[in-house]
Amino acid sequence: MLVVSEEVREALDAGRAVVALESTIIAHGLPRPRNLQVALELEDTVRRAGAVPATIAVLDGRPRVGLAKDQLERVANEDGIRKLGHRDLPLAVAAGASGATTVSATAQLAALAGLRVFATGGLGGVHREWTATQDESADLGLLARTRITVVCAGVKSILDVPATLQRLETLGVAVAGYGTDRFPGFYLSDSGHPVDWTLRSPEQVADVMRAQDALDAADTALIVANPVPEAEQLDPALHARVLADALHACDAEGISGQGVTPFLLDYLVRHTDGASLEANLAAVRGNVRLAARIASAWARG
């Protein structure tokens, strides 16, 4: 059922570096035609760093790990491409549907194919006002039972960051800052919250991955929180002002549940004149570069 591309399969069989990439940013995160341009750019970034990219999606009911150019074009341009979390995968397979994979679905399929390193933008997490809504991303539960290293820029700043960190601790998911003792805030280099561990090289990250295996630890993820460079982050004052306005607008319009995140993200893009999107892309590019270096260090053994 799982289709692994020839390029990815050959790399895995040869013990070469492979990096998993999600497809939601292609289908739902960027406007056309920039989405395809970014997808190709990210794959090229992985290759230039000496690793093989494995963009993951479901096409016509077949989960695919590694996409050809025409398949990337389908994800970027085809109307009706669904957004699939890991809970949706059996339904999409049975229905013969096509969809872009979120963090949770990408991590699950990557691990199933034998990949250990995954690059994304920011994780989902615990939503604000959780005590009233009980709204928490499926990413957290999936990462609590999946052995994969996720390179990300922390969690989206629209979320409850301290509650998310607490939840990750409760679930037993290890979190380390890359070159920092502060937890990144997606658009921001520093969310205002610390991390307990700092890793300073791809080799150190690979050592932690090997220690996970040697200790026969629980099958949980390793989160490598890689901050967006300060020069490329969203201006913190602008971020604070627009996010406060966005939360007020969301409440005023009575938006709740799954509608909150897309509303807030869209509000940030529109009211920062696209600066939040550029910070998002800067974070993704940095995460992809780092993930390729980590995958290479892991492959070297």
Side-chain angles (χ1 to χ4, degrees):
M1 182 179 297
L2 184 68
V3 181
V4 180
S5 73
E6 183 178 353
E7 180 186 24
V8 171
R9 175 53 56 199
E10 289 178 352
L12 291 172
D13 290 345
R16 294 169 53 209
V18 183
V19 175
L21 302 171
E22 65 162 291
S23 50
T24 296
I25 189 173
I26 306 170
H28 302 286
L30 295 168
R32 300 171 184 169
R34 194 176 186 191
N35 56 347
L36 179 59
Q37 295 166 356
V38 169
L40 295 171
E41 175 196 344
L42 296 179
E43 290 209 341
D44 184 59
T45 296
V46 174
R47 290 194 172 92
R48 284 189 283 108
V52 171
T55 303
I56 295 176
V58 178
L59 295 175
D60 304 316
R62 303 295 298 277
R64 293 184 175 273
V65 178
L67 301 181
K69 187 172 184 291
D70 65 313
Q71 293 168 333
L72 278 174
E73 290 172 348
R74 277 193 65 186
V75 174
N77 297 322
E78 188 173 292
D79 293 332
I81 293 287
R82 300 182 68 113
K83 185 176 182 180
L84 305 177
H86 71 280
R87 70 168 189 171
D88 303 307
L89 292 176
L91 295 160
V93 168
S98 296
T101 52
T102 65
V103 167
S104 67
T106 303
Q108 181 174 346
L109 294 174
L112 188 61
L115 279 65
R116 278 293 290 270
V117 181
F118 166 33
T120 186
L123 297 182
V126 177
H127 288 241
R128 294 166 187 259
E129 300 183 357
W130 181 89
T131 53
T133 66
Q134 302 287 291
D135 194 356
E136 173 184 314
S137 170
D139 293 356
L140 304 185
L142 190 282
L143 295 176
R145 57 181 185 272
T146 305
R147 180 71 59 82
I148 195 163
T149 295
V150 183
V151 183
C152 64
V155 299
K156 296 178 178 67
S157 54
I158 61 174
L159 302 172
D160 188 328
V161 177
T164 300
L165 287 169
Q166 180 61 55
R167 185 70 175 134
L168 287 168
E169 179 181 346
T170 300
L171 292 170
V173 179
V175 178
Y178 189 80
T180 180
D181 61 359
R182 310 296 295 174
F183 191 66
F186 191 49
Y187 301 117
L188 306 176
S189 300
D190 183 355
S191 69
H193 302 278
V195 290
D196 293 329
W197 296 93
T198 301
L199 299 171
R200 301 192 180 279
S201 71
E203 290 73 23
Q204 281 191 322
V205 178
D207 285 344
V208 176
M209 295 163 64
R210 294 187 191 98
Q212 284 181 308
D213 293 348
L215 291 168
D216 195 23
D219 282 333
T220 56
L222 168 63
I223 306 301
V224 179
N226 182 40
V228 62
E230 286 189 15
E232 297 181 277
Q233 71 175 343
L234 184 61
D235 177 72
L238 176 64
H239 172 271
R241 176 176 59 79
V242 174
L243 179 56
D245 291 345
L247 291 168
H248 179 75
C250 188
D251 183 61
E253 295 186 28
I255 296 170
S256 60
Q258 292 184 340
V260 172
T261 294
F263 176 86
L264 294 178
L265 293 176
D266 179 66
Y267 191 100
L268 280 168
V269 171
R270 289 186 290 109
H271 290 81
T272 62
D273 293 326
S276 66
L277 179 58
E278 296 308 316
N280 180 356
L281 290 175
V284 172
R285 292 183 183 105
N287 295 340
V288 168
R289 285 192 295 269
L290 176 57
R293 295 173 61 204
I294 292 170
S296 296
W298 169 253
R300 287 194 295 269

